[in-house]
Short mmCIF file of all heavy atoms in Angstrom, two decimals:
data_model
loop_
_atom_site.label_atom_id
_atom_site.label_comp_id
_atom_site.label_asym_id
_atom_site.label_seq_id
_atom_site.Cartn_x
_atom_site.Cartn_y
_atom_site.Cartn_z
N ALA A 1 22.55 -19.71 30.15
CA ALA A 1 21.78 -19.10 31.24
C ALA A 1 20.29 -19.14 30.93
O ALA A 1 19.46 -19.39 31.82
CB ALA A 1 22.24 -17.66 31.46
N LEU A 2 19.93 -18.91 29.66
CA LEU A 2 18.52 -18.96 29.30
C LEU A 2 17.97 -20.38 29.40
O LEU A 2 16.81 -20.59 29.77
CB LEU A 2 18.32 -18.42 27.88
CG LEU A 2 18.45 -16.90 27.73
CD1 LEU A 2 18.41 -16.51 26.26
CD2 LEU A 2 17.35 -16.20 28.49
N ALA A 3 18.82 -21.35 29.06
CA ALA A 3 18.38 -22.74 29.23
C ALA A 3 18.16 -23.05 30.70
O ALA A 3 17.20 -23.74 31.08
CB ALA A 3 19.41 -23.69 28.63
N ASN A 4 19.06 -22.56 31.54
CA ASN A 4 18.87 -22.74 32.98
C ASN A 4 17.61 -22.03 33.45
O ASN A 4 16.95 -22.48 34.41
CB ASN A 4 20.09 -22.21 33.73
CG ASN A 4 19.99 -22.46 35.23
OD1 ASN A 4 20.03 -23.59 35.68
ND2 ASN A 4 19.84 -21.39 35.99
N ARG A 5 17.26 -20.93 32.78
CA ARG A 5 16.03 -20.21 33.12
C ARG A 5 14.82 -21.11 32.95
O ARG A 5 13.87 -21.05 33.73
CB ARG A 5 15.92 -18.96 32.23
CG ARG A 5 14.63 -18.19 32.40
CD ARG A 5 14.56 -17.07 31.36
NE ARG A 5 13.29 -16.39 31.36
CZ ARG A 5 13.00 -15.33 32.10
NH1 ARG A 5 13.90 -14.85 32.92
NH2 ARG A 5 11.82 -14.76 32.02
N ILE A 6 14.87 -21.97 31.91
CA ILE A 6 13.75 -22.90 31.70
C ILE A 6 13.62 -23.85 32.88
O ILE A 6 12.52 -24.14 33.36
CB ILE A 6 13.95 -23.68 30.38
CG1 ILE A 6 13.92 -22.73 29.20
CG2 ILE A 6 12.89 -24.76 30.23
CD1 ILE A 6 14.14 -23.39 27.87
N ASN A 7 14.77 -24.35 33.36
CA ASN A 7 14.73 -25.24 34.52
C ASN A 7 14.17 -24.52 35.75
O ASN A 7 13.38 -25.08 36.51
CB ASN A 7 16.14 -25.77 34.82
CG ASN A 7 16.66 -26.68 33.72
OD1 ASN A 7 15.89 -27.38 33.09
ND2 ASN A 7 17.96 -26.64 33.47
N ILE A 8 14.60 -23.26 35.91
CA ILE A 8 14.09 -22.49 37.06
C ILE A 8 12.59 -22.27 36.94
O ILE A 8 11.83 -22.45 37.90
CB ILE A 8 14.84 -21.14 37.15
CG1 ILE A 8 16.32 -21.38 37.48
CG2 ILE A 8 14.21 -20.25 38.21
CD1 ILE A 8 17.15 -20.12 37.44
N LEU A 9 12.16 -21.90 35.73
CA LEU A 9 10.73 -21.68 35.53
C LEU A 9 9.94 -22.96 35.73
O LEU A 9 8.82 -22.93 36.27
CB LEU A 9 10.49 -21.13 34.11
CG LEU A 9 11.01 -19.72 33.83
CD1 LEU A 9 10.79 -19.36 32.36
CD2 LEU A 9 10.32 -18.70 34.73
N LYS A 10 10.54 -24.09 35.32
CA LYS A 10 9.86 -25.37 35.50
C LYS A 10 9.70 -25.68 36.98
O LYS A 10 8.62 -26.10 37.44
CB LYS A 10 10.67 -26.47 34.81
CG LYS A 10 10.05 -27.86 34.94
CD LYS A 10 10.92 -28.90 34.29
CE LYS A 10 10.36 -30.30 34.51
NZ LYS A 10 11.24 -31.34 33.94
N LYS A 11 10.77 -25.46 37.78
CA LYS A 11 10.68 -25.72 39.22
C LYS A 11 9.66 -24.78 39.87
O LYS A 11 8.86 -25.19 40.71
CB LYS A 11 12.05 -25.54 39.87
CG LYS A 11 13.05 -26.62 39.49
CD LYS A 11 14.39 -26.38 40.17
CE LYS A 11 15.41 -27.45 39.79
NZ LYS A 11 16.74 -27.20 40.41
N GLU A 12 9.72 -23.50 39.47
CA GLU A 12 8.77 -22.55 40.02
C GLU A 12 7.33 -22.94 39.67
O GLU A 12 6.43 -22.83 40.50
CB GLU A 12 9.06 -21.15 39.51
CG GLU A 12 10.36 -20.55 40.04
CD GLU A 12 10.65 -19.19 39.45
OE1 GLU A 12 9.90 -18.78 38.52
OE2 GLU A 12 11.61 -18.53 39.90
N LYS A 13 7.15 -23.42 38.45
CA LYS A 13 5.81 -23.85 38.04
C LYS A 13 5.34 -25.04 38.85
O LYS A 13 4.18 -25.11 39.27
CB LYS A 13 5.82 -24.18 36.54
CG LYS A 13 4.45 -24.50 35.98
CD LYS A 13 4.52 -24.73 34.49
CE LYS A 13 3.13 -25.02 33.93
NZ LYS A 13 3.17 -25.25 32.47
N GLU A 14 6.26 -26.01 39.07
CA GLU A 14 5.90 -27.17 39.88
C GLU A 14 5.55 -26.76 41.30
O GLU A 14 4.57 -27.26 41.88
CB GLU A 14 7.05 -28.18 39.88
CG GLU A 14 7.27 -28.86 38.53
CD GLU A 14 8.50 -29.76 38.55
OE1 GLU A 14 9.24 -29.72 39.57
OE2 GLU A 14 8.72 -30.49 37.57
N GLN A 15 6.34 -25.84 41.87
CA GLN A 15 6.05 -25.37 43.22
C GLN A 15 4.71 -24.64 43.27
O GLN A 15 3.93 -24.81 44.21
CB GLN A 15 7.17 -24.45 43.71
CG GLN A 15 8.50 -25.17 43.93
CD GLN A 15 9.62 -24.20 44.29
OE1 GLN A 15 9.42 -22.99 44.28
NE2 GLN A 15 10.80 -24.73 44.59
N GLN A 16 4.45 -23.82 42.24
CA GLN A 16 3.18 -23.12 42.19
C GLN A 16 2.01 -24.10 42.08
O GLN A 16 0.97 -23.93 42.72
CB GLN A 16 3.16 -22.14 41.02
CG GLN A 16 4.08 -20.94 41.20
CD GLN A 16 4.08 -20.04 39.98
OE1 GLN A 16 3.44 -20.34 38.98
NE2 GLN A 16 4.83 -18.94 40.06
N GLN A 17 2.21 -25.14 41.25
CA GLN A 17 1.15 -26.13 41.09
C GLN A 17 0.89 -26.87 42.40
O GLN A 17 -0.26 -27.13 42.75
CB GLN A 17 1.51 -27.11 39.97
CG GLN A 17 1.46 -26.49 38.58
CD GLN A 17 1.90 -27.46 37.50
OE1 GLN A 17 2.49 -28.50 37.79
NE2 GLN A 17 1.64 -27.11 36.26
N GLN A 18 1.98 -27.23 43.10
CA GLN A 18 1.81 -27.90 44.39
C GLN A 18 1.09 -26.98 45.38
O GLN A 18 0.20 -27.42 46.12
CB GLN A 18 3.16 -28.32 44.94
CG GLN A 18 3.82 -29.45 44.15
CD GLN A 18 5.20 -29.80 44.68
OE1 GLN A 18 5.69 -29.16 45.62
NE2 GLN A 18 5.82 -30.81 44.08
N GLY A 19 1.50 -25.69 45.40
CA GLY A 19 0.84 -24.75 46.28
C GLY A 19 -0.63 -24.58 45.93
O GLY A 19 -1.50 -24.52 46.81
N LYS A 20 -0.91 -24.52 44.62
CA LYS A 20 -2.30 -24.38 44.19
C LYS A 20 -3.11 -25.62 44.56
O LYS A 20 -4.29 -25.51 44.94
CB LYS A 20 -2.35 -24.15 42.68
CG LYS A 20 -1.87 -22.78 42.24
CD LYS A 20 -1.96 -22.62 40.73
CE LYS A 20 -1.46 -21.24 40.29
NZ LYS A 20 -1.53 -21.10 38.82
N LEU A 21 -2.48 -26.83 44.43
CA LEU A 21 -3.19 -28.06 44.78
C LEU A 21 -3.56 -28.07 46.26
O LEU A 21 -4.68 -28.42 46.63
CB LEU A 21 -2.32 -29.27 44.43
CG LEU A 21 -2.94 -30.65 44.69
CD1 LEU A 21 -4.23 -30.80 43.86
CD2 LEU A 21 -1.94 -31.75 44.35
N LYS A 22 -2.60 -27.67 47.11
CA LYS A 22 -2.88 -27.62 48.54
C LYS A 22 -3.99 -26.59 48.83
O LYS A 22 -4.89 -26.84 49.63
CB LYS A 22 -1.62 -27.24 49.31
CG LYS A 22 -0.55 -28.33 49.30
CD LYS A 22 0.67 -27.87 50.09
CE LYS A 22 1.75 -28.96 50.09
NZ LYS A 22 2.97 -28.52 50.83
N ALA A 23 -3.87 -25.44 48.15
CA ALA A 23 -4.88 -24.41 48.37
C ALA A 23 -6.26 -24.88 47.91
O ALA A 23 -7.28 -24.61 48.57
CB ALA A 23 -4.49 -23.13 47.63
N LEU A 24 -6.30 -25.63 46.79
CA LEU A 24 -7.58 -26.14 46.29
C LEU A 24 -8.20 -27.13 47.27
O LEU A 24 -9.41 -27.12 47.51
CB LEU A 24 -7.38 -26.79 44.92
CG LEU A 24 -7.15 -25.84 43.74
CD1 LEU A 24 -6.82 -26.63 42.47
CD2 LEU A 24 -8.36 -24.96 43.50
N LYS A 25 -7.35 -28.02 47.83
CA LYS A 25 -7.87 -28.99 48.79
C LYS A 25 -8.41 -28.27 50.03
O LYS A 25 -9.48 -28.63 50.55
CB LYS A 25 -6.77 -29.98 49.18
CG LYS A 25 -6.39 -30.94 48.06
CD LYS A 25 -5.31 -31.91 48.52
CE LYS A 25 -4.95 -32.89 47.42
NZ LYS A 25 -3.87 -33.84 47.84
N GLU A 26 -7.66 -27.27 50.50
CA GLU A 26 -8.11 -26.53 51.66
C GLU A 26 -9.40 -25.77 51.36
O GLU A 26 -10.33 -25.72 52.18
CB GLU A 26 -7.02 -25.55 52.11
CG GLU A 26 -7.36 -24.71 53.33
CD GLU A 26 -7.52 -25.55 54.58
OE1 GLU A 26 -7.01 -26.70 54.61
OE2 GLU A 26 -8.15 -25.06 55.53
N ASN A 27 -9.45 -25.19 50.17
CA ASN A 27 -10.66 -24.47 49.77
C ASN A 27 -11.86 -25.40 49.65
O ASN A 27 -12.98 -25.05 50.01
CB ASN A 27 -10.44 -23.75 48.44
CG ASN A 27 -9.50 -22.56 48.57
OD1 ASN A 27 -9.35 -22.00 49.65
ND2 ASN A 27 -8.86 -22.18 47.49
N GLU A 28 -11.59 -26.61 49.14
CA GLU A 28 -12.67 -27.59 49.02
C GLU A 28 -13.24 -27.95 50.39
O GLU A 28 -14.46 -28.05 50.57
CB GLU A 28 -12.14 -28.84 48.30
CG GLU A 28 -13.22 -29.87 48.01
CD GLU A 28 -12.67 -31.08 47.28
OE1 GLU A 28 -11.46 -31.07 46.94
OE2 GLU A 28 -13.44 -32.03 47.07
N ARG A 29 -12.35 -28.13 51.37
CA ARG A 29 -12.81 -28.45 52.72
C ARG A 29 -13.62 -27.29 53.31
O ARG A 29 -14.68 -27.49 53.91
CB ARG A 29 -11.61 -28.75 53.61
CG ARG A 29 -11.97 -29.16 55.04
CD ARG A 29 -10.73 -29.32 55.88
NE ARG A 29 -10.01 -28.06 56.05
CZ ARG A 29 -10.38 -27.13 56.96
NH1 ARG A 29 -11.43 -27.32 57.75
NH2 ARG A 29 -9.68 -26.02 57.06
#
């Protein structure tokens, strides 16, 4: 379960990074 937690955290991190990238582009505009 803890190993699966790493996968979940990795996906959440990727989603957060994608959200941050979109937010950064919007903020830049």
Side-chain angles (χ1 to χ4, degrees):
L2 287 173
N4 184 67
R5 175 186 173 90
I6 296 178
N7 294 327
I8 294 174
L9 292 175
K10 180 182 176 183
K11 290 180 181 178
E12 291 177 353
K13 186 176 181 180
E14 291 175 352
Q15 292 175 355
Q16 290 177 357
Q17 290 176 346
Q18 291 177 357
K20 289 180 181 179
L21 182 60
K22 291 180 180 179
L24 287 174
K25 290 181 179 179
E26 180 65 20
N27 289 337
E28 185 179 356
R29 183 185 65 81

